[in-house]
Amino acid sequence: MSRYYAFNGDADGLCALHQLRLADPAPAELITGVKRDIRLLDRVQAGSGDQIIVLDISLDSNRTGLMRLLEAGATVEYFDHHYAGEIPRHDNFIPHIDVSADVCTSILVDRHLEGRYRLWAIVAAFGDNLGQRACALAESVGLAERQIEKLARLGEYLNYNGYGDTVEDLHYPPVELYEKMKPYPDPFVFIAESPAFTRLETGFRDDIGMIDSLSPVLEGVHHAAYLLPDAPWARRVSGIFANRLANSNPSRAHAVITPNRYGDYSVSVRSSKANPQGADILCMKFETGGGRKAAAGINRLRADSFARFLTSFTEQFS
């Protein structure tokens, strides 16, 4: 029997993987990519008796690959919180899917493991911009305010590392970053001892300082959209910038649009904190779009659809 993990390369995917492999470190092949590289099951070649664990990628976007693997006799266990569409029923399929606005994949894994590695679930929740839920989990294990702040920073840094057009944009390819995390059951020890944390923190501070001069290309009472420059730092910081905009102005929805290598755009959308609905509906109107109610994206927005996106964004969040 072969085992495979197909996981999103952001904070939530990494922390979900880390929790599961701390509980069961049996050898496995790891399949991942940059945050927007989500059709990962297309890359899995498995057959009868093999096991695939899927973490933090949309079932709806991976439906063809999922059905191919199930029909080949593989067992698939699926943890996710993105829009799923119709969930298949199959003897070899084990879904853990919850699309509620206040959960992430690592929280689903935390439930599955009955809180065994909850500190990493808290890191992931902060990385996925679920601050209130993360703080509630932190209180459940008695963390002090200073400890909570440390986990929040780690979550933000791990999530920041996942954004890029290609892995060359990242400070660490996600598999390499997981290998840096792997020896640390305790994230506080990772923060204190790992050179990877220091590298991510330095890169983050350098990149985030570049956003101060940015102004929206579209702005209303309930929404604002930003167009970032065509630069690696902008691609790295796009998701974090969207989260910070959402947190700093909770009555607004936000879109962060970044040029990509195809001459088109990648888009991050955040619904308003006051009404965390509609990001997925908007993004699914466009090819390669998807996500969840509070946070969604479009992997490749064609250049000739730019104006249509701004119009749809305004209509969705007016």
Side-chain angles (χ1 to χ4, degrees), residues 141-152:
V141 293
L143 296 184
E145 184 175 348
R146 186 174 179 183
Q147 291 175 304
I148 295 172
E149 290 172 355
K150 286 183 177 182
L151 297 187

Side-chain angles (χ1 to χ4, degrees), residues 146-215:
R146 186 174 179 183
Q147 291 175 304
I148 295 172
E149 290 172 355
K150 286 183 177 182
L151 297 187
R153 289 204 314 274
L154 175 57
E156 194 168 42
Y157 299 162
L158 294 177
N159 210 51
Y160 150 80
N161 183 76
Y163 281 86
D165 212 16
T166 66
V167 292
E168 286 74 27
D169 284 337
L170 312 183
H171 295 291
Y172 291 103
V175 169
E176 183 180 342
L177 183 53
Y178 165 68
E179 293 295 335
K180 304 290 186 186
M181 298 162 58
K182 185 177 177 180
Y184 297 97
D186 185 337
F188 292 113
V189 181
F190 177 81
I191 291 168
E193 296 182 357
S194 175
F197 177 82
T198 303
R199 180 175 172 184
L200 291 177
E201 183 171 55
T202 300
F204 177 87
R205 289 178 176 174
D206 290 344
D207 286 351
I208 206 71
M210 303 289 284
I211 69 174
D212 293 340
S213 61
L214 298 175
S215 299

Side-chain angles (χ1 to χ4, degrees), residues 16 31 39 48 105 138 146 161 191 207 226 232 234 243-244 254 269 305 315:
I31 299 168
R39 292 186 59 178
S48 180
T105 299
R146 186 174 179 183
N161 183 76
I191 291 168
D207 286 351
Y226 289 76
N243 288 345
R244 290 201 167 194
H254 294 90
V269 176
S305 296
E315 291 173 349

